[in-house]
Amino acid sequence: MSYNCAVILAGGEGTRMHSKKPKVMAELLFKPMIDHVLSAAIKAGVSEVCVVTGYQAQILEAHLEGRAHTVRQTQRLGTGHAVMQAAEYLRNHSFDNVLILNGDAPFMDSDTITQALAYHENRGFVQTVISAKIEDPYGYGRIVRDFNGDFCAIVEEASADKETKKINEINSGAMWFQKDALLYLLSKITNDNSKGEYYLTDTVGIAVSEKMRVGAYTAKNADAVLGANTRVQLAQLNERLRQKILSRLMLEGVSIPCTDGVIIDDDAVIGPDTVILPGTIIKEGCEIGENCEIGPNTVLFKTKVGNDCVLNQVQAEQAVVGDCCNLGPFAHLRPNTVLGAHVHCGNFTEIKNSSLGDHTSVSHLTYVGDSDVGRGVNFGCGVVTVNFNGKTKNRCTICDDAFIGCNTNLIAPVRIGNRAYTAAGSTITEDVPDDALAIARDRQIIKAGWVIKKKPYREKKY
Ligand code: UD1
Ligand code: CA
């Protein structure tokens, strides 16, 4: 196998996005466009990635830290000039081939890249451009072929005559080069055109004139070339990608009876017979089992859900949910929450940095934070684990089959023993032994006739 590198061009400002961030940081389904391009390159098996940054370079460099090498283009003088910034990096490595990718074309996929590489290597081309046939070629560089049908040049929109503009095979911007040929061709391009830019696309004409062998690989997936210059186009790409992912999931056995407001990250793993209801957003890093009902209006991030669960109006981030759990309506699982099987977290409950054992039930208006909760525990309505004293956070331990009465405050650190009860309205500050009842509130006093004697109310007008 060959040793290859990808150079991703990402220096542009993307004026029409009206953003303070580089264009490639515009998000497609919660991930910057550059991340989609980077993933495609890595999935296609390149060994190294070098990103050319320019506009707001420091934002992109910070974003890519540890994931890609970066070089800066201090002036935007065209795509050819952008690749020149990586020349030294390329000279210092013994790559066989270099893949050039546009950072603003997030639909380029790894299959198209690998198929183009096979085409490039099998035919011994020095340069293979990935092309696509599209209905409206306006704005793209056109693939020009000679009378034999051999690829001989790319002509940019600005330089194209009437006949050339009719060509609907276009340059995707992605291309493979033999490394040495790329370095040679870069040294030959000039900025002698109407825009005064160094066009990378001029390398084709130069190679042909020097009898070097070039080719155009036509992508089977014409969507691979799609890019976005405005946020309107970005919304169109979002919609296309969203529908593509939803269709894949449906074909794999997930039911989405109404796709309104359903947005699911491409990396989601969802088991068959699970139903996703409207308004549900499943962000990166989620795994959901079989036969669940998720939604409506549920948002999950880096969360794992077992089989046979119901999550109705739930927000969960970095949480793990066991099998047969019933969550919501209106439950919030915050980071580092681990629920066993058959757990119920009902109306207006919040769980944070806590584990709850099997069959534990937290039905209403309760906060469980920094707690280790056993199995079969019942929380009454309005329980609060008081885990923060203004300075430090402390943990509560609540053992198996304990029963926490309504409106109990558990002042951490405190341990509630196995099968222990707390009386409703108690503020528990000390450990409760196994099998004990703790009552921590004042006894009730009755003052007979007090209202008649004191008349504490105003005269009623009705
Ligand atoms: C480019 C191609 C065109 C192709 C199209 C596909 C050239 C001259 N034209 O046109 O043939 O059909 O892509 O989308 O290559 N960039 C830099 N520095 C620069 C200029 C650009 O880093 O000085 C980066 C941009 O950030 C972008 C990429 O290169 O990610 C492409 O540049 P862009 O200006 O968008 O080129 P297009 O006009 O789309
Ligand atoms: Ca572009």
Side-chain angles (χ1 to χ4, degrees), residues 311-329:
L311 275 68
N312 175 9
Q313 319 251 14
V314 171
Q315 303 260 329
E317 60 255 17
Q318 296 170 54
V320 179
V321 176
D323 293 339
C324 306
C325 285
N326 184 332
L327 308 181

Side-chain angles (χ1 to χ4, degrees), residues 306-365:
N307 299 322
D308 304 301
C309 291
V310 175
L311 275 68
N312 175 9
Q313 319 251 14
V314 171
Q315 303 260 329
E317 60 255 17
Q318 296 170 54
V320 179
V321 176
D323 293 339
C324 306
C325 285
N326 184 332
L327 308 181
F330 312 110
H332 186 185
L333 307 184
R334 291 172 51 205
N336 206 14
T337 288
V338 180
L339 307 183
H342 296 277
V343 170
H344 174 50
C345 298
N347 308 264
F348 304 101
T349 55
E350 174 179 341
I351 320 286
K352 185 213 81 175
N353 191 26
S354 296
S355 61
L356 275 59
D358 298 350
H359 295 281
T360 282
S361 172
V362 188
S363 288
H364 351 250
L365 301 164

Side-chain angles (χ1 to χ4, degrees), residues 10 28 76 87 100 138 144 189 205 219 234 249 324 328 377 389 393 457:
L28 189 59
R76 250 64 67 214
I100 308 292
Y138 177 78
V144 179
I189 54 180
L234 195 61
L249 289 166
C324 306
V377 172
N389 58 17
K393 297 238 166 107
Y457 48 79

Side-chain angles (χ1 to χ4, degrees), residues 158-272:
S159 316
D161 60 24
K162 219 169 138 205
E163 280 310 301
T164 311
K165 280 184 180 163
K166 286 186 192 154
I167 298 172
N168 73 340
E169 185 180 7
I170 56 100
N171 167 29
S172 70
M175 45 189 89
W176 281 104
F177 284 91
Q178 287 177 9
K179 186 191 94 170
D180 294 336
L182 170 62
L183 291 171
Y184 172 74
L185 292 167
L186 282 178
S187 71
K188 294 277 171 182
I189 54 180
T190 66
N191 62 352
D192 185 14
N193 53 54
S194 61
K195 287 199 172 170
E197 287 190 0
Y198 293 89
Y199 290 155
L200 180 64
T201 42
D202 282 352
T203 50
V204 177
I206 298 166
V208 169
S209 70
E210 302 210 7
K211 307 265 181 293
M212 296 164 90
R213 301 192 60 228
V214 300
Y217 172 79
T218 315
K220 293 191 184 86
N221 166 23
D223 274 5
V225 306
L226 294 175
N229 292 318
T230 66
R231 290 182 201 250
V232 175
Q233 289 170 341
L234 195 61
Q236 288 160 355
L237 291 194
N238 263 298
E239 185 53 17
R240 228 168 158 121
L241 183 55
R242 184 179 84 95
Q243 293 294 353
K244 201 171 124 192
I245 295 167
L246 297 186
S247 300
R248 170 175 65 75
L249 289 166
M250 288 190 258
L251 292 171
E252 287 168 9
V254 177
S255 278
I256 310 176
C258 170
T259 58
D260 290 358
V262 176
I263 307 178
I264 304 184
D265 191 288
D266 204 14
D267 76 353
V269 179
I270 305 180

Side-chain angles (χ1 to χ4, degrees), residues 44-238:
V46 301
S47 308
E48 305 287 334
V49 178
C50 175
V51 178
V52 182
T53 67
Y55 177 71
Q56 295 287 18
Q58 65 290 352
I59 294 179
L60 204 49
E61 285 161 6
H63 177 71
L64 292 168
E65 173 112 54
R67 295 193 292 155
H69 181 79
T70 58
V71 293
R72 272 198 197 188
Q73 184 194 26
T74 46
Q75 275 178 296
R76 250 64 67 214
L77 301 178
T79 49
H81 182 259
V83 180
M84 286 173 200
Q85 311 311 304
E88 195 187 324
Y89 169 80
L90 295 175
R91 263 193 292 274
N92 291 338
H93 289 77
S94 55
F95 301 123
D96 299 306
N97 300 295
V98 179
L99 167 70
I100 308 292
L101 292 171
N102 278 0
D104 65 351
F107 273 45
M108 181 50 66
D109 63 289
S110 59
D111 286 346
T112 303
I113 294 171
T114 9
Q115 285 153 11
L117 176 62
Y119 185 87
H120 173 74
E121 289 190 317
N122 293 343
R123 287 171 174 74
F125 288 142
V126 298
Q127 177 178 10
T128 300
V129 172
I130 300 179
S131 72
K133 289 191 173 136
I134 59 172
E135 255 169 50
D136 179 12
Y138 177 78
Y140 288 98
R142 308 298 202 283
I143 300 291
V144 179
R145 295 179 182 273
D146 64 16
F147 50 85
N148 292 322
D150 288 337
F151 175 41
C152 58
I154 297 176
V155 177
E156 291 303 310
E157 179 78 35
S159 316
D161 60 24
K162 219 169 138 205
E163 280 310 301
T164 311
K165 280 184 180 163
K166 286 186 192 154
I167 298 172
N168 73 340
E169 185 180 7
I170 56 100
N171 167 29
S172 70
M175 45 189 89
W176 281 104
F177 284 91
Q178 287 177 9
K179 186 191 94 170
D180 294 336
L182 170 62
L183 291 171
Y184 172 74
L185 292 167
L186 282 178
S187 71
K188 294 277 171 182
I189 54 180
T190 66
N191 62 352
D192 185 14
N193 53 54
S194 61
K195 287 199 172 170
E197 287 190 0
Y198 293 89
Y199 290 155
L200 180 64
T201 42
D202 282 352
T203 50
V204 177
I206 298 166
V208 169
S209 70
E210 302 210 7
K211 307 265 181 293
M212 296 164 90
R213 301 192 60 228
V214 300
Y217 172 79
T218 315
K220 293 191 184 86
N221 166 23
D223 274 5
V225 306
L226 294 175
N229 292 318
T230 66
R231 290 182 201 250
V232 175
Q233 289 170 341
L234 195 61
Q236 288 160 355
L237 291 194
N238 263 298

